[in-house]
């Protein structure tokens, strides 16, 4: 936990979450949500210090291969099998400002759709050179990048024949605990996106499209790896102009 | 016509899924050698100031069954009521206390666990003191958007009675869902996702 470079700390409360673009808690098409969805209304709370503050992580946290899933679990000299890709983008807030110092953590299945997890029983094999986790921290412009192999789709016990589209899970920290977000990135052109009960928990088509990363030909490296661009938007925060100063401030 | 109100829209949430541990607690789920340790596993060290406490609990579904695949993060002030955050402008928090912790629920018992210190009181927006509390964020398979709640302490009855956030709970019968049972340094806090004992969750 360390300073974010060259910026005055912001202390305004966050814009209210537009819950019409997030999935509601109860989405029966995604069966597990039925017993895990609160049934009572949420209690709304304009951010106090407990919500507008949050942990910030320094770049010193990162190891050399933390953002390279092709190699960070591989034996020396080996690499993971699959379509080599770069995923990059920026983390912005709703005001369009870059969010520097944002910790991103990501996880995914291997090229065959198999996760390295003891509760996973899909018959597709593990790749001995692929672990499936990575992390990075955005730079002063809010930019990030990592390289990996494109994950495969995989079946899951929801409906009789449900398959997840290829996806990468993202966990994002902004600067306040109220900005905490977990989401999933999908890939341009995947026909399975529109069949997936988890994707379809999101009621707004434009919101779903915000999770689909386009192929980025400009950043594709010849003879090496294709690129996908995935920008992430975190909640904006109010200016503190004209607001009462917090006690002790 | 007016000028466009050109705010971007927040990226929509998706469930963390059953394999959230691969990304957030890889060492704990057997993926070793990528990171030195799991982030958020240690909040305190030998020099941390304040009263050491342990927070344990479970996340229970609508049938009362503990979730074995949930992941809980906490965020709290230090013993003096200061947050270890760049947005904290009232002073400098204890450098030996992170204020943030992460615990995957146990795959057999469903229990989460944090070794931390009891937080000091933090001012509400109007300057009144909030009672000591810990903010929690819960994600899991079947939870589409992370759930926010707070844990207060059962041995802080006077402070809890004047807490500006607790006072906003219209149905007083729900008040106890945010209060941990405290026995010495041990704090016990179960989270009920739905049903009669449903925990109060916040839209923060």
């Amino acid at each position: 936990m360390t300073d974010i470079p060259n910026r005055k700390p912001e202390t305004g409360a966050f814009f209210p979450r537009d819950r019409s673009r997030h999935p509601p808690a109860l989405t029966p098409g995604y069966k597990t949500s039925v017993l895990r969805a609160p049934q009572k209304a949420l209690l709304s709370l304009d951010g106090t210090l407990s919500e507008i503050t949050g942990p910030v992580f320094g770049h010193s946290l990162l190891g050399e291969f933390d953002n390279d899933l092709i190699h960070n679990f591989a034996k020396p000299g080996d690499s993971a099998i699959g379509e080599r890709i770069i995923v990059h983008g920026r983390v912005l807030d709703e005001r369009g400002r870059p969010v520097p110092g944002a910790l991103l953590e990501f996880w995914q299945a291997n090229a065959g759709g198999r996760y390295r997890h003891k509760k996973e029983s899909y018959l597709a094999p593990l790749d001995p050179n692929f672990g499936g986790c990575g992390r990075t921290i955005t730079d002063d412009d809010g930019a990030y990048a990592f390289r990996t192999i494109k994950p495969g789709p995989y079946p899951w016990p929801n409906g009789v024949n449900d398959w997840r589209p290829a996806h990468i899970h993202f966990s994002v920290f902004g600067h306040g605990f109220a900005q905490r977000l977990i989401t999933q990135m999908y890939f341009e052109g995947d026909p399975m996106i529109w069949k997936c009960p988890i994707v379809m928990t999101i009621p707004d088509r434009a919101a779903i499209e915000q999770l689909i990363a386009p192929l980025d030909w400009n950043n594709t490296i010849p003879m090496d790896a294709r690129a996908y661009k995935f920008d992430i938007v975190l909640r904006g925060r109010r200016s503190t102009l004209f607001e009462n100063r917090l006690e002790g401030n | 016509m007016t000028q466009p109100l050109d705010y971007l829209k927040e990226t929509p949430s998706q469930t963390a899924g059953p394999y959230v541990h691969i990304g957030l607690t890889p060492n704990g789920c057997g993926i070793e050698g990528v990171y030195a340790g799991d982030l958020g596993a240690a909040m305190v060290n030998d020099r941390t100031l304040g009263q050491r406490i342990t927070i344990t609990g479970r996340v229970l579904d609508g049938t009362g069954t503990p979730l074995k695949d949930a992941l809980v993060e906490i965020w709290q002030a230090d013993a003096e009521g200061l947050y270890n955050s760049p947005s904290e402008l009232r002073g400098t928090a204890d450098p030996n206390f992170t204020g943030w912790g992460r615990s995957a629920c146990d795959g057999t018992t469903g229990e989460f666990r944090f070794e931390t210190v009891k937080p000091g009181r933090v001012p509400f927006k109007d300057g009144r003191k909030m009672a000591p509390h810990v903010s929690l964020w819960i994600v899991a398979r079947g939870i589409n958007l992370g759930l926010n709640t707070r844990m207060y302490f059962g041995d802080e009855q006077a402070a809890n009675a004047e807490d500006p956030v607790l006072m906003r709970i219209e149905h007083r019968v729900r008040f106890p869902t945010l209060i941990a049972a405290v026995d010495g340094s041990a704090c016990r806090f179960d989270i009920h996702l739905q049903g009669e004992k449903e925990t109060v969750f916040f839209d923060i």
Side-chain angles (χ1 to χ4, degrees), chain B residues 103-140:
Chain B
S103 176
C105 293
D106 184 87
T108 306
T109 65
E111 195 152 289
F112 60 81
R113 181 181 183 89
F114 297 95
E115 308 283 343
T116 182
V117 294
K118 187 167 180 182
R121 295 181 73 171
V122 174
F124 189 61
K125 302 174 77 73
D126 59 9
R128 281 180 291 167
K129 293 276 188 195
M130 294 190 279
H133 65 275
V134 172
S135 298
L136 293 94
W137 185 70
I138 301 121
V139 293

Side-chain angles (χ1 to χ4, degrees), chain A residues 30 36-37 50 180 183 186 233, chain B residues 11-12 14 83 133 141-142 194:
Chain A
Y30 174 25
R36 297 182 172 196
S50 304
R180 199 76 183 81
T183 190
Y186 305 100
V233 180
Chain B
T11 298
Q14 291 271 262
Y83 281 102
H133 65 275
R141 174 173 67 103
Q194 64 175 228

Side-chain angles (χ1 to χ4, degrees), chain A residues 81-158:
Chain A
I81 290 175
E83 300 178 34
R84 296 162 61 90
I85 60 171
I86 291 163
V87 178
H88 77 106
R90 293 174 79 200
V91 179
L92 305 167
D93 75 7
E94 287 171 305
R95 299 166 305 173
R97 296 193 187 193
V99 183
L103 173 67
L104 305 182
E105 298 164 286
F106 13 84
W107 66 101
Q108 61 168 92
N110 69 21
R114 174 71 187 267
Y115 281 97
R116 186 173 288 279
H117 193 284
K118 54 186 176 292
K119 290 198 173 168
E120 157 74 283
S121 56
Y122 183 32
L123 46 76
L126 286 169
D127 176 346
N129 291 308
F130 187 74
C133 63
R135 62 186 178 187
T136 189
I137 292 175
T138 56
D139 68 15
D140 286 359
D141 297 322
Y144 75 92
F146 61 97
R147 63 174 172 172
T148 185
I149 52 89
K150 189 176 175 187
Y154 74 93
W156 58 301
N158 186 65

Side-chain angles (χ1 to χ4, degrees), chain B residues 136-181:
Chain B
L136 293 94
W137 185 70
I138 301 121
V139 293
R141 174 173 67 103
I143 295 177
N144 289 323
L145 173 60
L147 295 168
N148 292 99
T149 188
R150 287 184 174 196
M151 187 199 94
Y152 289 82
F153 294 83
D155 59 350
E156 292 280 354
Q157 287 180 352
N160 291 343
E162 63 182 26
D163 182 86
V165 174
L166 287 175
M167 283 196 297
R168 292 195 43 205
I169 300 173
E170 178 187 352
H171 299 95
R172 305 304 291 170
V173 67
R174 303 192 65 200
F175 187 101
T177 69
L178 300 185
I179 314 291

Side-chain angles (χ1 to χ4, degrees), chain A residues 1-38:
Chain A
M1 319 229 168
T2 171
D3 298 333
I4 344 169
N6 301 328
R7 276 180 73 177
K8 200 168 97 182
E10 295 188 299
T11 55
F14 291 100
F15 297 169
R17 210 160 222 164
D18 179 356
R19 289 179 180 263
S20 70
R21 297 180 82 261
H22 286 287
L26 178 62
T27 47
Y30 174 25
K31 293 181 180 180
T32 312
S33 76
V34 174
L35 282 171
R36 297 182 172 196

Side-chain angles (χ1 to χ4, degrees), chain B:
Chain B
M1 290 297 284
T2 62
Q3 293 185 14
L5 191 59
D6 54 353
Y7 290 115
L8 301 178
K9 288 292 194 177
E10 188 189 12
T11 298
S13 174
Q14 291 271 262
T15 180
Y19 307 129
V20 59
H21 319 98
I22 293 173
L24 303 192
T25 56
N27 289 280
C29 81
I31 301 176
E32 291 165 355
V34 181
Y35 309 147
D38 285 337
L39 208 57
M43 300 176 68
V44 297
N45 63 35
D46 293 344
R47 290 163 291 165
T48 306
L49 305 173
Q51 178 198 343
R52 302 303 171 103
I53 59 169
T54 303
I55 300 171
T56 57
R58 297 170 300 166
V59 183
L60 302 134
D61 73 12
T63 70
T65 305
L67 275 58
K68 294 164 184 173
D69 52 12
L71 182 128
V72 180
E73 291 183 5
I74 65 172
W75 172 243
Q76 64 164 94
D78 70 8
E80 298 298 320
L82 292 170
Y83 281 102
N84 190 344
S85 165
S87 302
E88 174 60 87
L89 302 180
R90 297 169 301 148
T92 302
D94 181 354
N96 294 303
F97 182 59
T98 67
W100 175 78
R102 174 184 279 169
S103 176
C105 293
D106 184 87
T108 306
T109 65
E111 195 152 289
F112 60 81
R113 181 181 183 89
F114 297 95
E115 308 283 343
T116 182
V117 294
K118 187 167 180 182
R121 295 181 73 171
V122 174
F124 189 61
K125 302 174 77 73
D126 59 9
R128 281 180 291 167
K129 293 276 188 195
M130 294 190 279
H133 65 275
V134 172
S135 298
L136 293 94
W137 185 70
I138 301 121
V139 293
R141 174 173 67 103
I143 295 177
N144 289 323
L145 173 60
L147 295 168
N148 292 99
T149 188
R150 287 184 174 196
M151 187 199 94
Y152 289 82
F153 294 83
D155 59 350
E156 292 280 354
Q157 287 180 352
N160 291 343
E162 63 182 26
D163 182 86
V165 174
L166 287 175
M167 283 196 297
R168 292 195 43 205
I169 300 173
E170 178 187 352
H171 299 95
R172 305 304 291 170
V173 67
R174 303 192 65 200
F175 187 101
T177 69
L178 300 185
I179 314 291
V182 177
D183 180 10
S185 65
C187 305
R188 181 80 197 171
F189 188 64
D190 279 348
I191 295 158
H192 297 263
L193 296 179
Q194 64 175 228
E196 264 183 49
K197 292 188 278 186
E198 183 174 310
T199 299
V200 175
F201 296 105
F202 294 90
D203 181 17
I204 57 172

